[in-house]
Amino acid sequence: MNYFLTEEQQMIKELAAKIADEKIRPIAHEYDEKEEFPAEIVKVLGQADLYRVFIPEEYEGLGGGVFEMCLVVEELSRACGGIALAYAASGLGIIPIILFGTEEQKKKYLPKLASGEIIAAFALTEPDAGSDAGAIKTTAKPEGDSYIINGTKQWISNGGDASIYTVITLTDPSRGARGSSAILVDKGTPGFEFGKKEEKMGIRGNSTRELIFQDCKVPKTNLLAKEGMGFMVAMKTFDQSRPGVASQAIGIAQGALDEAVRYSTERHQFGKPISSFQAIQFMLADMATQIEAARALTLQVARSIDAGEKNVAKISSMTKVFASDVAMKVTTDAVQILGGYGYMREYPVEKMMRDAKITQIYEGTNQIQREVIGMNLIKETLRKKK
Amino acid sequence: MNIVVCIKQVPDTTDVKINPETNTLIREGVESIINPFDAYAIEEGVRLKEKYGGTVNVLSMGPPQVDASLREAISLGADEAYLLTDRTFAGADTLATAYTLAAGIRKIGDVDIILMGRQAIDGDTGQVGPEVAENLDIPHVTDIRKIEQIDDQGSIYLERLLEEGYVRLKTKLPVVITVVKEINEPRLPSLKGKMLAKKKEINTWSAKDVEVNEKRLGLTGSPTQVVKIFTPPKPAGGKVFDGDIKDSVGKLLRELRASGILMGSEKGDE
Ligand SMILES: Cc1cc2nc3c(=O)[nH]c(=O)nc-3n(C[C@H](O)[C@H](O)[C@H](O)COP(=O)(O)OP(=O)(O)OC[C@H]3O[C@@H](n4cnc5c(N)ncnc54)[C@H](O)[C@@H]3O)c2cc1C
């Protein structure tokens, strides 16, 4: 379908697709098996300027936004949803700096993030604070010109491999969520260590680690926005990053559909290619239709966000809910179409099914997304009544 | 370091077909690409620039659509692009091509290194590199797999690929170097490079813009005549000699001799 891409957006999409096909697909299986972080691909993405696309031009970016990020994430995810996360999760860490960073912070970090020399991460989740983000316990005690951070973050994507972390903390625990603050912490800061690396079902080509803070001292100039605005920073960041997760899901689904269509024309049973069976064709038709619908929704929402639409939480959540559910359905059906071969690790679709699952869970589970959508619907209606 | 990389636009031969009636290449609908060996030459040029400083100029002779390949070279890190295009250049064999390219290189001027691919995948002659060097009256080295270093005295140290192993050589600049694919791994274009390439002005020269003798251009200047292009027929049939190895070898030799393919005495055959 024609998404009316500008010449520059077309270029971005084509280059990302080329890297996906030539550099990522051939190694996706290996990284999945070894459960290793794809440092060599990060380098390729950096050299290709792909990290620049959603960063403002003043900071050596190319001045695009969520839309451009989505184009890249989808193409990369088509080849490997896990490796694509080295890109997307860095985006999640970069967005708060773009949205809330001071001039100094932006100058310090964005050019290096734009070139891919370093990547970023975002840390909210803790062992006892998942969906209930307000339950975080990590504290950042103000002390003179510094904060002293204590606590543990869990399941942080790009953990250990990222150089800069946006960490959501409590600067004033007595005020609960209103006492939360987003603080930038550099890798290598004394008192900041990495805990265990998780062993996962999918997206195994990305490192998911614990971040452990023990009397970690950072200057107050590392604060993003203001004290007490930590959750606002997180929510505004998610508003912009969720379409990226949606695009990751769409890319994984598209990769699975491509495999399923190809396989169905090659596999013969009862003397015919299985693609000649209506049961298979109808499955493929539904898969393709759902993917296109998810893509249309996601790209249109990304455009709205970039155009400066207010209160985008609802539509942003819609992209992630819809696209991730589509990805789970499509990848499951792709395995079905490949039959027993689909279940084998030698074929790529079982990995896609494993990779798809995470998109229903992180950056807010789909239950939480539906709650966001529902709450907003009710709020909008009540507002109209007044 | 002033570097010229000569590139040729060729059909993507993975899907090239020959029209069986006219015996010519079917070019319609076939995508054009930079000759793959030339892509290594571009990459090497850019690496030399990154190491020693200077300018990478890409040069091609061909029809106006070669513009796309030159822009691609810019997106891969080349600085300037030159296209030699003129009706009188058309139909050139390797001799006329090399003559014309050499005129272009002279016009670019003050060149230290000329890089080219070892051969073009459509013609497969491997002649243009050495012929350009002869036209310019400078040395050439072919099948280079590594450029070790260039010293202050203008000496260049190279490794030349042989069938088994390689030989190290030293020569003086200016020099024509043709490269093999072992020399590097060409990078992918960057977005900034692609954007730059889109805007870049391609210097376009006709026969009037370079110093040439019209008689040595294009078809007129080409002693080579292509008589026929054809797909060799697949060898069919054949005869299998099996059974006892000694017997079957003996039978094979007798048969070859009988059909006049093999000459000489029968002594020791059995
Ligand atoms: C591979 C991976 C990478 C991750 N990367 C990051 C990262 O980079 N940064 C980061 O901060 N976090 C990250 N996370 C954490 C992720 O965002 C959380 O896992 C997610 O928010 C859900 O929290 P939880 O796992 O604690 O589930 P829980 O909150 O315990 O939820 C369990 C179940 O209960 C449901 N549930 C919970 N509350 C409600 C409710 N109110 N109404 C209805 N249903 C509810 C949930 O939907 C879910 O089905 C990552 C997680 C994984 C697995």
Side-chain angles (χ1 to χ4, degrees), chain A residues 35-331:
Chain A
E35 209 156 6
E36 221 170 72
F37 184 80
E40 54 168 324
I41 297 297
V42 169
K43 214 169 137 197
V44 170
L45 297 174
Q47 282 167 351
D49 296 327
L50 287 180
Y51 282 104
R52 295 185 198 277
V53 305
F54 58 90
I55 292 177
E57 283 173 294
E58 305 93 279
Y59 309 103
E60 296 179 28
L62 290 167
V66 176
F67 189 88
E68 283 75 10
M69 180 174 74
C70 286
L71 290 178
V72 176
V73 173
E74 182 187 330
E75 288 305 327
L76 302 183
S77 301
R78 209 165 38 76
C80 180
I83 291 178
L85 193 58
Y87 181 84
S90 189
L92 179 64
I94 292 169
I95 290 168
I97 304 177
I98 296 175
L99 293 179
F100 302 103
T102 61
E103 187 59 26
E104 233 161 77
Q105 289 165 344
K106 288 179 181 174
K107 274 201 189 127
K108 181 170 174 197
Y109 294 111
L110 291 180
K112 281 192 207 161
L113 290 162
S115 69
E117 184 188 328
I118 61 168
I119 60 170
F122 184 89
L124 171 60
T125 306
E126 295 182 7
D128 295 321
S131 300
D132 184 9
I136 61 165
K137 296 194 187 106
T138 297
T139 55
K141 202 169 132 207
E143 215 180 82
D145 291 340
S146 309
Y147 292 112
I148 311 295
I149 306 177
N150 277 291
T152 299
K153 294 290 174 183
Q154 157 175 294
W155 301 340
I156 305 310
S157 304
N158 287 353
D161 294 294
S163 300
I164 179 69
Y165 297 77
T166 299
V167 184
I168 309 297
T169 64
L170 297 175
T171 39
D172 185 354
S174 68
R175 301 189 66 211
R178 283 166 197 273
S180 70
S181 300
I183 296 173
L184 292 168
V185 186
D186 291 287
K187 179 178 176 174
T189 308
F192 173 22
E193 303 285 339
F194 300 104
K196 77 166 185 288
K197 182 179 165 183
E198 303 294 342
E199 293 171 356
K200 305 192 295 288
M201 170 197 248
I203 56 163
R204 289 156 57 98
N206 190 271
S207 37
T208 311
R209 280 199 180 84
E210 243 176 8
L211 314 184
I212 301 166
F213 300 96
Q214 274 178 316
D215 293 329
C216 171
K217 190 170 166 181
V218 299
K220 274 194 171 168
T221 50
N222 282 21
L223 177 71
L224 283 171
K226 293 201 176 86
E227 279 184 19
M229 291 175 80
F231 280 108
M232 193 275 290
V233 169
M235 294 312 136
K236 294 283 173 203
T237 298
F238 289 145
D239 282 354
Q240 303 226 342
S241 67
R242 279 174 186 142
V245 180
S247 288
Q248 183 190 24
I250 295 163
I252 294 169
Q254 183 67 53
L257 174 64
D258 293 346
E259 288 294 335
V261 175
R262 193 179 51 74
Y263 182 85
S264 72
T265 60
E266 288 166 5
R267 172 71 171 173
H268 284 66
Q269 287 293 279
F270 302 99
K272 292 181 209 156
I274 60 167
S275 62
S276 67
F277 305 131
Q278 196 180 55
I280 299 288
Q281 278 180 25
F282 278 16
M283 250 203 262
L284 292 172
D286 285 343
M287 289 156 82
T289 307
Q290 288 164 10
I291 290 171
E292 205 60 67
R295 185 181 290 128
L297 173 66
T298 301
L299 290 181
Q300 194 54 30
V301 167
R303 277 205 168 106
S304 301
I305 295 171
D306 289 339
E309 185 167 325
K310 297 245 160 59
N311 304 323
V312 293
K314 183 181 77 179
I315 55 174
S316 169
S317 291
M318 284 175 172
T319 67
K320 195 196 98 98
V321 168
F322 189 73
S324 62
D325 285 354
V326 162
M328 206 56 237
K329 175 87 172 71
V330 165
T331 53

Side-chain angles (χ1 to χ4, degrees), chain B residues 11 17 35 54 61 70 72 95 117 155 175 178 195 203 230 234 238 249 258 269:
Chain B
K17 298 197 176 58
N35 175 42
M61 183 192 82
L70 290 168
E72 192 181 333
L95 193 70
S155 293
V175 61
T178 77
M195 286 170 195
N203 302 286
F230 62 98
K234 280 219 178 84
V249 170
D269 271 6

Side-chain angles (χ1 to χ4, degrees), chain A residues 7-8 11 15 18-19 22-23 47-50 53, chain B residues 72 185-195 198:
Chain A
E7 212 177 325
E8 192 175 314
M11 236 182 236
L15 187 56
K18 195 175 162 77
I19 291 174
E22 291 178 16
K23 304 279 179 187
Q47 282 167 351
D49 296 327
L50 287 180
V53 305
Chain B
E72 192 181 333
E185 191 189 335
R187 70 195 67 190
L188 288 169
S190 66
L191 282 172
K192 280 185 166 179
K194 276 173 157 269
M195 286 170 195
K198 211 176 68 187

Side-chain angles (χ1 to χ4, degrees), chain B residues 56-112:
Chain B
V56 177
N57 307 281
V58 275
L59 171 69
S60 188
M61 183 192 82
Q65 57 264 34
V66 175
D67 183 273
S69 293
L70 290 168
R71 284 185 197 280
E72 192 181 333
I74 296 283
S75 80
L76 294 167
D79 304 292
E80 297 296 332
Y82 300 87
L83 175 59
L84 291 159
T85 189
D86 196 306
R87 265 167 212 276
T88 60
F89 297 157
D93 67 0
T94 63
L95 193 70
T97 301
Y99 174 74
T100 312
L101 287 174
I105 293 166
R106 261 190 226 104
K107 173 136 180 168
I108 293 170
D110 273 338
V111 175
D112 300 300

